[in-house]
Amino acid sequence: MKQVYLDNAATTPLLPEVITTITEAMLDIYGNPSSIHQIGRKAKSLVETARKNIAKHFNVSASEIVFTAGGSEADNLILRNAVINLGVTTIISSKIEHHAVLHTIDNLIKEFGITVKWIDLTNNGEINVTHLEALLQQDDSKKLVSLMYINNEIGNILNIEKVGSLCTKYKALFHSDAVQAVGHFKFDIQKTPIDFFVASAHKFHGPKGVGFAYIKKGIGIYPIVHGGEQERGARAGTENVHSILGMDKALQIAYANLSQEAAEIQTLKSYFIQQLKDNFEGIKFNGTSDNEQYSSYIILNVQFPKEYGMLLFNLDLKGIAVSGGSACQSGSSKGSHVLNTILSEKEAKNTSIRFSFSKLNTTEEIDFVIDNLKILIR
């Protein structure tokens, strides 16, 4: 059966070069980076080289990169430190953040009684920057703003420079879950006022279970998992050497030809949008996902004109892998918290699907999806 994978915002396939890097490392690099003998020092040297390589992509110091098990751990590390060690008593965020942020905030409320203020959103899920500034002005409490760079469900791109400038103006810390941005967009931290961001390798054709946190120099971070003094005391546990090297390789590949590959993926996404418009009446696009200027070229969130309870299941039977995004989809008790937040009650009852692309997808695959949607949607 033909397989078409359009769920790249969930995870991406490993590239052959990355598999080779990991395999070779597993065969040759078996030392513990904390060991002082030459076998351990070799592993340590490779980990530190990977750290330097990764740091260069964002114009930061290698000492500002902390390796983690992925984006969720990195978000927890930063948010919990902000409250426990950095004196933050107020977090400003939005209700359409990733659950790694929202659930961590919920637990910080329960544990420490922090104040949380939610930024107003437009119907397209865009941040109301005027309201953000008003929240930053409200009192003299130590604040942290946590807003994702690119929304993982609807693809909206945050004006990260504007938000960072406001945080600087009002002396607030700024954290961004950049999991959907790293490897897909270039950004220079020396030109972007930001204190923390996080990344996860499996979003840019790297291995699962590894990522990193950027923590601005001079901001003290303490471990949330206690043990050894790895990662300069910020994260206990023996480094995942093979995966770190695989992540480094994947990021090098991602940024080597980014402009060309991004344009090609955007062309594919635009073609899909046009095919949907030409073949289906009543199609809508959630968030700004059909707007090239304000949306990631990776993500398209499509709202169909009514509820199709078995559409995801039937697409899967045809070999098409996508993600559901309907707020009130059959078989789901809660649905998408993002769509629940931004859609009307009527629209939330319709079926929404997130299609997400990579450089491995083709026009022929898009045509295959459209042909099957014509059969399944009547």
Side-chain angles (χ1 to χ4, degrees):
M1 181 174 64
K2 185 179 179 66
Q3 297 285 326
V4 174
Y5 186 76
L6 292 178
D7 199 19
N8 291 280
T11 195
T12 51
L14 279 170
L15 295 176
E17 302 95 319
V18 176
I19 295 172
T20 298
T21 295
I22 294 170
T23 302
E24 290 177 351
M26 292 179 72
L27 292 171
D28 298 333
I29 314 301
Y30 52 86
N32 188 320
S34 296
S35 298
I36 61 172
H37 49 64
Q38 59 181 306
I39 297 173
R41 294 199 305 273
K42 181 179 180 181
K44 180 69 171 178
S45 175
L46 289 170
V47 167
E48 293 310 313
T49 297
R51 195 190 311 274
K52 290 175 184 176
N53 291 341
I54 290 169
K56 286 178 183 177
H57 294 300
F58 309 99
N59 197 14
V60 302
S61 167
S63 64
E64 296 174 301
I65 299 296
V66 175
F67 292 129
T68 67
S72 293
E73 183 196 338
D75 282 330
N76 274 263
L77 177 67
I78 291 164
L79 293 171
R80 293 188 64 81
N81 262 276
V83 173
I84 298 170
N85 299 309
L86 302 179
V88 168
T89 57
T90 300
I91 293 179
I92 300 173
S93 190
S94 84
K95 292 186 177 180
I96 61 171
E97 299 300 301
H98 192 279
H99 279 132
V101 168
L102 294 179
H103 289 171
T104 303
I105 290 175
D106 286 344
N107 278 278
L108 289 170
I109 294 170
K110 294 173 185 175
E111 289 183 61
F112 303 102
I114 63 166
T115 299
V116 178
K117 298 179 179 180
W118 302 110
I119 304 170
D120 290 343
L121 303 168
T122 69
N123 290 336
N124 282 332
E126 295 176 284
I127 298 299
N128 185 324
V129 178
T130 302
H131 186 230
L132 169 59
E133 185 166 17
L135 293 176
L136 286 166
Q137 291 176 307
Q138 277 185 0
D139 55 59
D140 295 327
S141 64
K142 184 67 176 291
K143 298 180 180 70
L144 175 136
V145 173
S146 181
L147 293 170
M148 65 200 315
Y149 195 156
I150 294 172
N151 188 278
N152 61 301
E153 291 199 33
I154 55 177
N156 289 17
I157 300 175
L158 179 71
N159 187 338
I160 200 165
E161 289 81 11
K162 178 64 175 178
V163 172
S165 296
L166 285 173
C167 289
T168 300
K169 180 179 179 180
Y170 295 101
K171 297 180 172 59
L173 293 170
F174 179 28
H175 158 255
S176 184
D177 183 319
V179 164
Q180 296 290 343
V182 171
H184 303 297
F185 293 84
K186 288 185 177 180
F187 48 104
D188 184 342
I189 294 302
Q190 300 309 314
K191 299 177 182 178
T192 308
I194 188 170
D195 300 291
F196 316 97
F197 75 84
V198 310
S200 193
H202 73 104
K203 304 297 187 179
F204 48 86
H205 301 286
K208 295 175 180 63
V210 66
F212 64 88
Y214 160 76
I215 298 165
K216 189 176 181 178
K217 189 178 296 184
I219 297 178
I221 289 290
Y222 299 88
I224 57 174
V225 176
H226 300 281
E229 294 297 315
Q230 293 89 350
E231 294 303 295
R232 297 173 175 83
R235 182 193 189 259
T238 301
E239 293 91 344
N240 185 352
V241 178
H242 315 124
S243 292
I244 288 170
L245 299 183
M247 174 168 64
D248 176 25
K249 184 66 173 180
L251 202 55
Q252 288 181 38
I253 295 170
Y255 284 132
N257 298 296
L258 182 64
S259 296
Q260 177 184 339
E261 291 175 354
E264 290 171 354
I265 299 170
Q266 179 61 60
T267 298
L268 195 72
K269 176 182 172 180
S270 298
Y271 175 74
F272 189 34
I273 290 171
Q274 193 58 53
Q275 289 297 307
L276 287 167
K277 290 179 177 178
D278 290 346
N279 288 282
F280 304 99
E281 293 184 2
I283 288 284
K284 292 184 178 180
F285 300 97
N286 296 320
T288 60
S289 63
D290 62 329
N291 188 314
E292 184 173 341
Q293 183 178 355
Y294 298 111
S295 174
S296 167
Y297 58 91
I298 299 294
I299 297 170
L300 181 67
N301 198 301
V302 182
Q303 182 188 150
F304 294 92
K306 64 179 183 179
E307 198 270 339
Y308 295 92
M310 299 293 288
L311 185 55
L312 273 178
F313 177 76
N314 286 324
L315 285 171
D316 187 39
L317 288 179
K318 299 290 187 179
I320 300 167
V322 293
S323 283
S326 174
C328 300
Q329 193 165 338
S330 299
S332 174
S333 58
K334 295 181 180 179
S336 160
H337 70 286
V338 174
L339 298 186
N340 269 322
T341 300
I342 68 172
L343 297 184
S344 68
E345 184 176 351
K346 180 180 179 181
E347 288 180 319
K349 293 178 180 178
N350 296 335
T351 291
S352 289
I353 293 180
R354 182 188 69 184
F355 300 89
S356 48
F357 314 93
S358 83
K359 61 185 178 182
L360 302 179
N361 293 124
T362 65
T363 304
E364 290 74 23
E365 289 179 329
I366 298 302
D367 291 337
F368 180 78
V369 173
I370 292 293
D371 288 343
N372 278 280
L373 283 172
K374 287 179 183 177
I375 296 170
L376 297 172
I377 294 178
R378 298 179 177 85

